[in-house]
Amino acid sequence: MIKIDLKSSIPIYEQISREIKKNILKGFFKENDPLPSVRKLAASIGVNPNTIAKAYQELERNNVIYTVTGRGAFIAENNNKTLNKIPENLLNTLKNVVIEIIYSGVNEKIIIEEVKKISSEFKGKDSE
Amino acid sequence: MIKIDLKSSIPIYEQISREIKKNILKGFFKENDPLPSVRKLAASIGVNPNTIAKAYQELERNNVIYTVTGRGAFIAENNNKTLNKIPENLLNTLKNVVIEIIYSGVNEKIIIEEVKKISSEFKGKDSE
Amino acid sequence: MIKIDLKSSIPIYEQISREIKKNILKGFFKENDPLPSVRKLAASIGVNPNTIAKAYQELERNNVIYTVTGRGAFIAENNNKTLNKIPENLLNTLKNVVIEIIYSGVNEKIIIEEVKKISSEFKGKDSE
Amino acid sequence: MIKIDLKSSIPIYEQISREIKKNILKGFFKENDPLPSVRKLAASIGVNPNTIAKAYQELERNNVIYTVTGRGAFIAENNNKTLNKIPENLLNTLKNVVIEIIYSGVNEKIIIEEVKKISSEFKGKDSE
DNA sequence: GTGGTCTAGACCACA
DNA sequence: GTGGTCTAGACCACA
């Protein structure tokens, strides 16, 4: 369920964090579901437990999961409101990629098709 | 013309490289136009010349600019290749941002509007 | 294993990059083998770590090695693509040397013998 | 007759020097033929006269041309003996290119074909 | 520990 | 003047 590319330049903890978010978006992880323990997940992916711990910390900071001391980590309730604006840091990243893609010679239409394809993989927040 | 955020986690040389690409896309830099010299740009931005040199070298590797020994760096000809597919590394980045944005509670429609807005800032390759 | 000529006009990072490619071709470095760390190799050769880092970055860009953050650099899988044409930049260099050699008074036959000798030192891609 | 690529990473004076050698090998320039004056050649190619001067100096050092004060530069007699061995510096360059080419996935056979093609463009020294 | 980025400053070839 | 290479040394994120 959680695929990691060790060779990628994206930090492993970041990849893990994203994978978990994806799983939530896809509905594989539901509210209050327990996450695998840091050690088990570390062992099954083959990375350092510290790396998993860091991913979980990031997720907790963003209210994606919550941890209960001694019992582990769980999926938080999805209390995100529906936003009408893309948060600024994400908007910047989006701008940068889109520019790079346009520069590589791909036109708007193809990019939009791709965005649709990506988002169709997930249940949109508003349709939940 | 070239705006850098020294506090950003994106490497400065990467920001410079992107800014130059943006300027080309916007038509501010045209084929064979000279770029500011490494030293001058470094002074005007307030970073080390090595950092600019690294950006220029990256741009040259990607055939965005070319350098003439003893004379400086110049905008390369626009290969004008039109791609029908987003290059894999860029596609991955796109996927990641879009997922993050959806997760933050923004729906597809708003993302697509934003993509249109970004791309309308630039002359697309096919309309040149 | 990695011999560098500090007096050569060929940049050190370029020499290092070539030496590593040679070692791969000779079979001394195999897929997923770890490379010496930037700092260790720098110390053993007696150059600045930045220079090694530059060599490794070049090799990574060319998919010869890959780096795993926090762990180090490793030999990439051998794509095993067989080319029927010499890439243009290499062809140019080849043309230039051959012309210089012919000009120095050496005939074709001797050059070809030498090419055979060089290539016999390595396991060709197709015999792997 | 003398083609220069300003964008190339090969120094212009080196390119000029090679072009002149090629012209001699091809028989376009014969013993005692006058070379164009530094200024004229500079003007016709569109480079700095100093660059031409440097190329001529290099050629003179290698006894490819000779200069008569006040009268200009001329093609030297071809007094190169036939060599049975490739000079060391050229051999090293040859080794490096061949290794790079093999690494790129091209096999010995194709390289040798190419060497033959290159050398067939010129009258070999021994057949002169 | 690992590699990546950046600075300050030197030196070089080239034009 | 131009860019390219290299050193010495700092700091950083990541594992």
Side-chain angles (χ1 to χ4, degrees), chain C residues 100, chain D residues 12-22 55 58-59 62:
Chain C
E100 294 278 353
Chain D
I12 295 171
Y13 79 89
E14 195 62 41
Q15 293 185 50
I16 292 166
S17 154
R18 277 179 192 158
E19 286 293 302
I20 289 169
K21 282 184 189 170
K22 275 197 219 169
E58 193 190 57
L59 290 166
N62 297 327

Side-chain angles (χ1 to χ4, degrees), chain C residues 31-92:
Chain C
E31 230 171 287
N32 296 319
D33 277 358
L35 289 155
S37 88
V38 165
R39 287 165 175 83
K40 275 185 193 158
L41 186 53
S44 84
I45 299 182
V47 298
N48 191 288
N50 284 338
T51 305
I52 308 291
K54 191 168 185 180
Y56 279 17
Q57 280 163 28
E58 191 186 62
L59 289 166
E60 184 164 28
R61 259 199 314 277
N62 297 326
N63 296 316
V64 175
I65 68 172
Y66 62 90
T67 59
V68 181
T69 331
R71 303 232 210 154
F74 303 85
I75 304 296
E77 351 165 17
N78 192 331
N79 311 11
N80 251 343
K81 54 178 172 189
T82 309
L83 291 182
N84 293 317
K85 265 181 79 178
I86 300 173
E88 206 186 317
N89 56 335
L90 292 173
L91 183 54
N92 272 330

Side-chain angles (χ1 to χ4, degrees), chain A residues 10 18 21-22 24-25 64 80 82-87 90-91 93-108 110-112 114-116 118-119 122 125-126, chain B residues 10 18 21-22 24-25 64 81-87 90-91 93-108 110-112 114-116 118-119 122 125-126:
Chain A
I10 299 160
R18 279 180 191 157
K21 283 184 188 168
K22 277 197 220 169
I24 296 174
L25 283 179
V64 176
N80 285 345
T82 304
L83 292 181
N84 293 317
K85 266 181 76 178
I86 300 172
L90 291 173
L91 183 55
T93 317
L94 181 66
K95 276 184 185 167
N96 282 326
V97 214
V98 172
I99 290 164
E100 294 279 351
I101 294 174
I102 292 172
Y103 197 88
S104 78
V106 177
N107 68 28
E108 188 193 292
I110 292 173
I111 303 175
I112 288 172
E114 197 58 50
V115 170
K116 283 183 184 163
I118 298 166
S119 86
F122 306 106
K125 288 276 157 161
D126 42 1
Chain B
I10 298 162
R18 277 180 193 157
K21 283 185 189 168
K22 277 196 217 169
I24 295 174
L25 283 178
V64 176
K81 52 177 172 190
T82 309
L83 289 184
N84 294 316
K85 266 181 80 176
I86 300 172
L90 292 174
L91 183 54
T93 317
L94 180 66
K95 278 183 183 167
N96 283 325
V97 216
V98 172
I99 290 165
E100 295 279 352
I101 294 174
I102 292 173
Y103 196 88
S104 78
V106 176
N107 68 27
E108 184 192 296
I110 293 172
I111 303 174
I112 289 170
E114 198 57 52
V115 170
K116 282 183 185 161
I118 299 166
S119 87
F122 304 106
K125 292 267 162 161
D126 41 1

Side-chain angles (χ1 to χ4, degrees), chain B:
Chain B
M1 221 84 152
I2 290 178
K3 280 182 189 170
I4 297 302
D5 176 8
L6 294 175
K7 295 170 209 153
S8 162
S9 69
I10 298 162
I12 299 171
Y13 75 87
E14 198 61 43
Q15 293 185 50
I16 292 166
S17 159
R18 277 180 193 157
E19 286 293 303
I20 287 168
K21 283 185 189 168
K22 277 196 217 169
N23 278 318
I24 295 174
L25 283 178
K26 285 182 177 166
F28 296 155
F29 282 158
K30 304 208 187 275
E31 230 171 288
N32 296 319
D33 277 358
L35 289 156
S37 89
V38 166
R39 285 166 177 83
K40 275 184 192 157
L41 186 53
S44 84
I45 298 182
V47 299
N48 191 289
N50 285 338
T51 305
I52 308 291
K54 192 168 184 179
Y56 280 17
Q57 279 162 29
E58 191 186 62
L59 290 166
E60 184 166 27
R61 258 199 314 277
N62 297 326
N63 296 316
V64 176
I65 66 172
Y66 63 88
T67 58
V68 181
T69 330
R71 301 232 210 156
F74 303 85
I75 306 295
E77 350 165 18
N78 194 331
N79 309 13
N80 251 342
K81 52 177 172 190
T82 309
L83 289 184
N84 294 316
K85 266 181 80 176
I86 300 172
E88 205 185 317
N89 57 335
L90 292 174
L91 183 54
N92 273 330
T93 317
L94 180 66
K95 278 183 183 167
N96 283 325
V97 216
V98 172
I99 290 165
E100 295 279 352
I101 294 174
I102 292 173
Y103 196 88
S104 78
V106 176
N107 68 27
E108 184 192 296
K109 214 170 145 186
I110 293 172
I111 303 174
I112 289 170
E113 269 167 32
E114 198 57 52
V115 170
K116 282 183 185 161
K117 205 154 82 188
I118 299 166
S119 87
S120 73
E121 274 188 57
F122 304 106
K123 299 199 289 188
K125 292 267 162 161
D126 41 1
S127 63
E128 260 173 22

Side-chain angles (χ1 to χ4, degrees), chain C residues 21 83 96 100 105 108 119, chain D residues 18 21 83 100 105 108 119:
Chain C
K21 282 185 188 168
L83 291 182
N96 282 326
E100 294 278 353
E108 183 192 297
S119 87
Chain D
R18 277 179 192 158
K21 282 184 189 170
L83 292 181
E100 294 279 352
E108 186 193 294
S119 86

Side-chain angles (χ1 to χ4, degrees), chain A residues 67-74:
Chain A
T67 57
V68 181
T69 329
R71 294 201 31 233
F74 302 86

